[in-house]
Amino acid sequence: MSEAKSLLNSFFDALVSAVYPRKCPVCRRVSGAIPCARCGQSLVRENFRFELPLPLVDEVRAFYSYEASAAELVKALKYRRETSLVRFMSNEMHDLFLAWDPEIDTIVPVPIHRSRLSWRGFNQASSLCERLPSHLVGQDLVRIRRTMPQVKLTPEERSANLVGAFRCPSDIVGKRVLLVDDVFTTGATANECAKALKEAGASWVGVLVFAVRRR
Ligand SMILES: [Zn+2]
Protein backbone atom coordinates (compact mmCIF):
# COMPACT_ATOMS: atom_id res chain seq x y z
CA MET A 1 0.00 0.00 0.00
CA SER A 2 1.33 3.44 -0.87
CA GLU A 3 2.13 5.85 1.96
CA ALA A 4 -0.54 8.28 0.78
CA LYS A 5 -3.16 5.53 0.67
CA SER A 6 -2.15 4.26 4.11
CA LEU A 7 -2.36 7.81 5.52
CA LEU A 8 -5.77 8.21 3.95
CA ASN A 9 -6.94 4.93 5.51
CA SER A 10 -5.64 6.00 8.95
CA PHE A 11 -7.40 9.32 8.58
CA PHE A 12 -10.62 7.56 7.59
CA ASP A 13 -10.36 5.16 10.57
CA ALA A 14 -9.80 8.12 12.92
CA LEU A 15 -12.78 9.90 11.43
CA VAL A 16 -15.05 6.87 11.84
CA SER A 17 -13.83 6.42 15.45
CA ALA A 18 -14.55 10.08 16.19
CA VAL A 19 -18.09 9.87 14.83
CA TYR A 20 -18.81 6.35 16.09
CA PRO A 21 -16.54 5.74 19.11
CA ARG A 22 -15.73 2.04 19.42
CA LYS A 23 -17.17 0.42 22.50
CA CYS A 24 -15.92 -2.64 24.32
CA PRO A 25 -18.51 -5.33 23.42
CA VAL A 26 -18.28 -6.74 26.95
CA CYS A 27 -18.74 -3.69 29.20
CA ARG A 28 -19.86 -1.10 26.60
CA ARG A 29 -17.24 1.46 27.69
CA VAL A 30 -15.66 3.52 24.90
CA SER A 31 -12.32 1.90 24.17
CA GLY A 32 -9.68 1.78 21.48
CA ALA A 33 -8.88 -1.82 22.36
CA ILE A 34 -11.37 -4.66 21.87
CA PRO A 35 -11.99 -5.96 24.49
CA CYS A 36 -11.05 -2.94 26.64
CA ALA A 37 -7.98 -3.14 28.87
CA ARG A 38 -10.09 -3.70 31.99
CA CYS A 39 -12.08 -6.60 30.48
CA GLY A 40 -8.91 -8.01 28.91
CA GLN A 41 -7.15 -8.01 32.28
CA SER A 42 -10.09 -9.72 33.96
CA LEU A 43 -9.58 -12.73 31.68
CA VAL A 44 -7.36 -15.25 33.40
CA ARG A 45 -5.95 -18.15 31.45
CA GLU A 46 -6.49 -21.34 33.41
CA ASN A 47 -5.32 -23.96 30.91
CA PHE A 48 -8.16 -26.44 31.25
CA ARG A 49 -7.19 -29.88 30.07
CA PHE A 50 -9.30 -32.94 30.62
CA GLU A 51 -10.29 -36.28 29.36
CA LEU A 52 -13.97 -36.76 29.97
CA PRO A 53 -16.31 -39.62 30.66
CA LEU A 54 -17.82 -38.76 27.28
CA PRO A 55 -17.38 -41.89 25.16
CA LEU A 56 -16.41 -40.18 21.92
CA VAL A 57 -14.40 -37.07 22.75
CA ASP A 58 -10.79 -37.90 23.57
CA GLU A 59 -9.52 -34.66 25.06
CA VAL A 60 -10.68 -31.10 25.67
CA ARG A 61 -8.58 -27.95 26.04
CA ALA A 62 -9.51 -24.34 26.83
CA PHE A 63 -7.84 -21.32 28.35
CA TYR A 64 -10.92 -19.93 30.04
CA SER A 65 -13.71 -20.89 32.37
CA TYR A 66 -17.16 -20.15 30.94
CA GLU A 67 -18.02 -17.41 33.43
CA ALA A 68 -17.55 -13.66 33.97
CA SER A 69 -15.77 -11.86 31.11
CA ALA A 70 -14.97 -15.02 29.14
CA ALA A 71 -18.68 -15.96 29.05
CA GLU A 72 -19.56 -12.38 28.10
CA LEU A 73 -17.15 -12.54 25.15
CA VAL A 74 -18.65 -15.81 23.92
CA LYS A 75 -22.20 -14.45 24.19
CA ALA A 76 -21.31 -11.10 22.60
CA LEU A 77 -19.85 -12.86 19.57
CA LYS A 78 -22.58 -15.47 19.20
CA TYR A 79 -25.77 -13.64 20.16
CA ARG A 80 -24.93 -9.98 19.55
CA ARG A 81 -22.75 -10.62 16.50
CA GLU A 82 -19.88 -8.55 17.87
CA THR A 83 -17.42 -9.64 15.20
CA SER A 84 -14.87 -7.07 16.40
CA LEU A 85 -14.05 -9.73 19.04
CA VAL A 86 -12.93 -12.28 16.45
CA ARG A 87 -9.39 -10.96 16.27
CA PHE A 88 -8.80 -11.24 20.02
CA MET A 89 -10.60 -14.56 20.44
CA SER A 90 -8.97 -16.21 17.41
CA ASN A 91 -5.56 -15.09 18.68
CA GLU A 92 -6.32 -16.79 21.98
CA MET A 93 -7.32 -19.97 20.12
CA HIS A 94 -4.06 -19.77 18.19
CA ASP A 95 -2.00 -19.43 21.40
CA LEU A 96 -3.83 -22.37 22.92
CA PHE A 97 -3.30 -24.44 19.79
CA LEU A 98 0.45 -23.71 19.91
CA ALA A 99 0.63 -24.50 23.64
CA TRP A 100 -1.16 -27.81 23.08
CA ASP A 101 0.52 -28.68 19.76
CA PRO A 102 -1.70 -31.72 19.15
CA GLU A 103 -0.76 -34.20 16.46
CA ILE A 104 -3.65 -33.77 14.08
CA ASP A 105 -4.53 -34.29 10.43
CA THR A 106 -7.46 -31.92 10.18
CA ILE A 107 -9.25 -29.10 12.00
CA VAL A 108 -13.04 -29.02 11.91
CA PRO A 109 -15.14 -26.10 13.17
CA VAL A 110 -18.48 -27.20 14.61
CA PRO A 111 -20.92 -26.37 11.81
CA ILE A 112 -24.12 -24.42 12.26
CA HIS A 113 -27.23 -25.05 10.19
CA ARG A 114 -27.51 -22.96 7.03
CA SER A 115 -30.67 -21.26 8.33
CA ARG A 116 -28.79 -20.05 11.42
CA LEU A 117 -25.82 -19.11 9.25
CA SER A 118 -27.98 -16.86 7.13
CA TRP A 119 -29.46 -15.24 10.25
CA ARG A 120 -26.14 -14.74 12.07
CA GLY A 121 -24.07 -14.08 8.97
CA PHE A 122 -21.11 -16.10 10.18
CA ASN A 123 -20.26 -19.28 12.03
CA GLN A 124 -18.55 -18.36 15.30
CA ALA A 125 -16.63 -21.65 15.37
CA SER A 126 -15.20 -20.98 11.88
CA SER A 127 -14.29 -17.44 12.93
CA LEU A 128 -12.33 -18.83 15.86
CA CYS A 129 -10.25 -20.90 13.38
CA GLU A 130 -9.04 -17.76 11.59
CA ARG A 131 -5.52 -17.95 12.98
CA LEU A 132 -5.18 -21.73 13.01
CA PRO A 133 -3.19 -23.37 10.16
CA SER A 134 -5.54 -22.74 7.22
CA HIS A 135 -4.30 -25.74 5.22
CA LEU A 136 -5.62 -27.98 8.00
CA VAL A 137 -9.03 -26.37 8.40
CA GLY A 138 -11.63 -28.40 6.54
CA GLN A 139 -15.37 -28.71 6.23
CA ASP A 140 -15.51 -32.36 7.19
CA LEU A 141 -18.76 -31.99 9.10
CA VAL A 142 -22.12 -30.77 7.93
CA ARG A 143 -25.16 -29.98 10.01
CA ILE A 144 -27.91 -31.91 8.34
CA ARG A 145 -30.81 -30.74 10.40
CA ARG A 146 -31.80 -27.69 12.32
CA THR A 147 -31.88 -28.02 16.10
CA MET A 148 -33.13 -25.97 19.03
CA PRO A 149 -30.50 -23.64 20.55
CA GLN A 150 -28.78 -25.79 23.19
CA VAL A 151 -28.78 -22.96 25.72
CA LYS A 152 -32.56 -23.29 26.18
CA LEU A 153 -32.45 -27.00 27.04
CA THR A 154 -31.71 -29.24 30.03
CA PRO A 155 -28.62 -31.52 29.82
CA GLU A 156 -30.83 -34.52 28.91
CA GLU A 157 -32.69 -32.54 26.27
CA ARG A 158 -29.40 -31.28 24.82
CA SER A 159 -28.21 -34.77 23.91
CA ALA A 160 -31.59 -35.76 22.44
CA ASN A 161 -31.81 -32.48 20.51
CA LEU A 162 -28.61 -33.21 18.60
CA VAL A 163 -29.01 -36.89 17.73
CA GLY A 164 -28.22 -37.32 14.05
CA ALA A 165 -27.67 -33.59 13.52
CA PHE A 166 -24.19 -33.98 12.01
CA ARG A 167 -22.75 -35.96 9.16
CA CYS A 168 -19.18 -36.39 7.95
CA PRO A 169 -19.07 -36.71 4.14
CA SER A 170 -15.25 -36.87 3.94
CA ASP A 171 -12.85 -39.78 3.97
CA ILE A 172 -11.21 -39.41 7.36
CA VAL A 173 -10.36 -43.04 8.10
CA GLY A 174 -7.53 -43.17 10.64
CA LYS A 175 -7.31 -39.38 10.92
CA ARG A 176 -6.81 -37.38 14.08
CA VAL A 177 -9.34 -34.55 14.14
CA LEU A 178 -9.38 -31.32 16.12
CA LEU A 179 -12.89 -30.02 16.65
CA VAL A 180 -13.17 -26.28 17.30
CA ASP A 181 -16.03 -24.48 19.03
CA ASP A 182 -16.61 -21.39 21.15
CA VAL A 183 -17.78 -23.12 24.32
CA PHE A 184 -17.99 -26.54 25.92
CA THR A 185 -20.64 -26.92 28.62
CA THR A 186 -22.31 -30.34 28.86
CA GLY A 187 -20.26 -31.60 25.91
CA ALA A 188 -23.39 -32.72 24.05
CA THR A 189 -22.48 -30.88 20.83
CA ALA A 190 -18.85 -32.00 20.80
CA ASN A 191 -19.89 -35.57 21.57
CA GLU A 192 -22.41 -35.70 18.74
CA CYS A 193 -19.83 -34.24 16.32
CA ALA A 194 -17.25 -36.77 17.53
CA LYS A 195 -19.80 -39.54 16.96
CA ALA A 196 -20.20 -38.55 13.29
CA LEU A 197 -16.43 -38.21 12.88
CA LYS A 198 -15.66 -41.56 14.49
CA GLU A 199 -18.39 -43.31 12.51
CA ALA A 200 -16.58 -41.96 9.42
CA GLY A 201 -13.34 -43.50 10.69
CA ALA A 202 -11.58 -40.78 12.73
CA SER A 203 -9.11 -42.39 15.13
CA TRP A 204 -9.03 -39.51 17.64
CA VAL A 205 -11.13 -36.42 18.27
CA GLY A 206 -9.78 -33.57 20.40
CA VAL A 207 -11.72 -30.42 21.21
CA LEU A 208 -10.32 -26.88 21.30
CA VAL A 209 -12.70 -24.28 22.73
CA PHE A 210 -12.49 -20.71 23.96
CA ALA A 211 -14.19 -21.52 27.26
CA VAL A 212 -15.38 -24.53 29.25
CA ARG A 213 -17.92 -24.83 32.02
CA ARG A 214 -15.96 -25.47 35.22
CA ARG A 215 -16.34 -29.07 36.45
ZN1 LIG B 1 -14.69 -3.83 28.57
Side-chain angles (χ1 to χ4, degrees), residues 13-28:
D13 285 348
L15 194 67
V16 170
S17 306
V19 180
Y20 304 103
R22 294 213 302 173
K23 286 186 180 162
C24 169
V26 181
C27 67
R28 316 306 300 174

Side-chain angles (χ1 to χ4, degrees), residues 23-31 33-40 42 69 73:
K23 286 186 180 162
C24 169
V26 181
C27 67
R28 316 306 300 174
R29 287 188 191 90
V30 173
S31 167
I34 303 292
C36 72
R38 193 188 297 194
C39 289
S42 69
S69 296
L73 256 71

